């Protein structure tokens, strides 16, 4: 790391700009999945700084004030998790108005001095991400933010949010609401909808064995793929199959195949790909037609094949496996919603042969604008030692294409995995 100093200048709870309702909100069956009581961490880099058209207010001041106003619209983010009501018997959210944890910091350099926070990071992420006071459980505070201002006028927003309250789309909706208020709007463009009771609540299944959290020592690897290469593969798939595929399908198919080839699982071994598919479109009869629902509304889609099939199939064949998995979503979600499953699909298994993937490009974070323009770069930290992960993002502007961020192979397999990825893309 470079000899850069980040100084935290203030830290406090930002409370709603109007008194809290003091109501207690019940969470949905998906919100209450134990595995979601964890924090999702990310850095959002804004190169444009200095005076806005309307004022010369500093980003930290503008965002703090807007956060306070947004918490009036989203009181759960200013609340605290409590034991459930007698009816629910589960954790709920008390709208206490205790607030979101907010830190203001300053770095003694320009963003250019640290390569715009592109990989490899020249500033430790822990310096830029908010942390609670010592002894406080970070999962007890629904949202924490840190705004770090650089000498060039650019700034970085470090975001830590508890997954229990919102999925990626919901969290981005909340952050966009803060940004809209920061730009001077009277109200967020999208009115928030709580309405967790409309999410299916099937009978509980007996708990399975506790998940394993074995540390695998997976290594970090990042590569960028040009838009032209992705477009070429999409065209090849359409020509071969007569159907469209997405950037997600292309990129993730190659990661899954490259990982399987590099690790050299036995041919008959099963390998799994797991991603969390948005299910709002499957609940249009009960969700608000104007949108705004920001709770967890997804289903874990798992695609399973033998290692031999994934390793030896052409890439188009692996894409087809992923497309088939997506096609089964409506039926699988309906079966879960009606209680017609024997194994809880939300109880995940963190095993070596399971690759978890997520796509940050379509959540709404890249559209956030506090008044200084959209972010030039977003860095998600969705990694854990016990799970193989691949995340889709975007390279820093003005570059185009897709960034694939992985932590899914050990050191001994990294070279072959890297060669597989770079050789193809």
């Amino acid at each position: 790391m470079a000899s850069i100093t980040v100084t935290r200048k203030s830290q406090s709870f930002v409370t709603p700009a109007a008194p809290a309702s003091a109501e207690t909100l019940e969470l949905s069956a998906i919100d209450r999945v134990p595995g979601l009581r964890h924090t999702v961490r990310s850095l959002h880099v804004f190169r444009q700084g200095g005076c806005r058209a309307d004022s010369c207010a500093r980003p930290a001041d503008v965002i703090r004030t807007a956060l306070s106003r947004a918490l009036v619209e989203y009181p759960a983010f200013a609340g605290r998790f409590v034991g459930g009501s007698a009816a629910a018997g589960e954790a709920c959210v008390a709208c206490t108005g205790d607030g979101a944890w907010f830190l203001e910091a300053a770095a003694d350099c320009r963003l250019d001095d640290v390569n715009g926070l592109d990989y490899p990071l020249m500033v430790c992420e822990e310096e830029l991400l908010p942390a609670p006071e010592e002894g406080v459980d970070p999962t007890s505070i629904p949202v924490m933010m840190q705004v770090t201002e650089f000498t060039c006028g650019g700034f970085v927003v470090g975001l830590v949010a508890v997954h229990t309250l919102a999925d990626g789309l919901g969290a981005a909706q909340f952050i966009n609401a803060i940004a809209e208020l920061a730009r001077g709007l009277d109200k967020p463009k999208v009115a928030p909808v709580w309405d967790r009771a409309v999410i299916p609540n099937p009978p509980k299944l007996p708990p399975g064995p506790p998940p394993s959290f074995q540390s695998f020592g997976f290594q970090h690897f990042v590569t960028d793929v040009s838009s032209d290469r992705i477009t070429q593969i999409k065209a090849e798939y359409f020509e071969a199959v007569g159907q469209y595929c997405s950037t997600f399908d292309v990129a993730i198919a190659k990661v899954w195949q490259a990982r399987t080839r590099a690790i050299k699982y036995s041919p008959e071994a099963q390998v799994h790909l797991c991603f969390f598919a948005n299910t709002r479109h499957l609940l249009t009869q009960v969700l608000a037609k104007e949108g705004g629902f920001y709770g967890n509304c997804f289903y874990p889609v798992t695609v399973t094949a033998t290692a031999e099939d994934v390793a030896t199939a052409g890439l188009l064949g692996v894409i087809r496996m992923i497309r088939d998995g997506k096609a089964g979503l409506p039926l699988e979600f309906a079966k879960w919603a009606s209680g017609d499953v024997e194994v809880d699909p939300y109880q995940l298994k963190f095993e070596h042969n399971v690759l978890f993937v997520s796509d940050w490009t379509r959540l709404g974070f890249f559209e956030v604008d506090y008044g200084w323009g959209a972010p030039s770069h977003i860095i998600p930290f969705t990694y854990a030692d016990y799970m193989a992960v691949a995340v889709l993002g975007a390279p820093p502007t003005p570059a185009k294409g897709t960034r694939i961020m992985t932590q899914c192979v050990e050191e001994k397999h990294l070279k072959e995995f890297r060669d597989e990825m770079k050789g193809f893309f």
Side-chain angles (χ1 to χ4, degrees), residues 4-9 43-46 58-60 63 102-109 111 117 123-130 145-159:
I4 304 298
T5 301
V6 175
T7 304
R8 291 188 170 114
K9 300 162 66 175
L43 295 176
H44 306 250
V45 182
F46 296 82
R58 293 170 45 247
I63 295 172
F102 187 90
L103 294 85
E104 180 181 346
D108 64 349
C109 67
L111 276 168
L117 288 181
V123 181
C124 177
E125 66 265 24
E126 302 300 338
E127 296 282 335
L128 302 171
L129 288 164
M145 297 180 75
Q146 176 174 318
V147 179
T148 304
E149 297 173 352
F150 287 71
T151 58
C152 57
F155 60 98
V156 174
V157 176
L159 178 64

Side-chain angles (χ1 to χ4, degrees), residues 24-25 27 37 79-85 90-96:
T24 297
L25 301 171
L27 296 163
R37 186 61 72 86
R80 295 296 180 265
F81 299 108
V82 295
S85 67
E90 299 285 358
C92 300
V93 182
C95 297
T96 59

Side-chain angles (χ1 to χ4, degrees), residues 128-333:
L128 302 171
L129 288 164
E133 292 184 303
E134 189 174 351
V136 176
D137 178 3
T139 65
S140 68
I141 305 172
V143 66
M144 300 187 287
M145 297 180 75
Q146 176 174 318
V147 179
T148 304
E149 297 173 352
F150 287 71
T151 58
C152 57
F155 60 98
V156 174
V157 176
L159 178 64
V160 176
V162 179
H163 208 318
T164 299
L165 269 196
D167 58 13
L169 288 166
Q173 178 182 310
F174 173 58
I175 299 303
N176 269 292
I178 299 172
E180 289 160 3
L181 296 172
R183 296 200 309 273
L185 275 67
D186 291 331
K187 287 271 189 181
K189 293 179 180 178
V190 177
V193 174
W194 181 262
D195 216 3
R196 308 295 165 106
V198 304
I199 299 297
N201 187 20
K204 279 191 170 183
L205 292 167
S212 168
F213 296 103
Q214 178 184 348
S215 177
F216 294 114
F218 293 136
Q219 299 297 302
H220 198 64
F221 172 71
V222 177
T223 189
D224 293 334
V225 188
S226 72
S227 299
D228 289 346
R229 183 62 171 134
I230 294 286
T231 300
Q232 177 189 351
I233 299 168
K234 288 180 180 179
E236 291 175 3
Y237 185 80
F238 185 81
E239 183 178 349
V241 181
Q243 297 177 352
Y244 293 100
C245 66
S246 68
T247 297
F248 175 91
D249 301 331
V250 173
I252 294 309
K254 188 56 200 177
V255 175
W256 193 24
Q257 184 178 71
R259 178 178 193 264
T260 303
R261 287 175 174 176
I263 294 173
K264 294 181 174 60
Y265 291 107
S266 61
E268 68 281 2
Q270 286 194 326
V271 290
H272 312 278
L273 181 74
C274 183
F275 54 91
F276 306 119
N278 176 31
T279 53
R280 285 165 174 78
H281 63 293
L282 302 178
L283 296 171
T284 53
Q285 297 300 312
V286 293
L287 288 177
K289 289 180 172 54
E290 59 274 16
F293 181 82
Y294 63 98
N296 287 288
C297 194
F298 67 87
Y299 185 84
V301 174
T302 299
V303 182
T304 299
T306 66
E308 182 177 34
D309 285 346
V310 175
T312 61
L315 185 67
L316 302 187
V318 182
I319 293 173
R320 183 65 177 265
M321 296 178 197
I322 296 172
R323 299 291 301 171
D324 288 347
K326 285 182 172 181
L329 171 64
L331 178 59
E332 293 299 317
F333 183 69

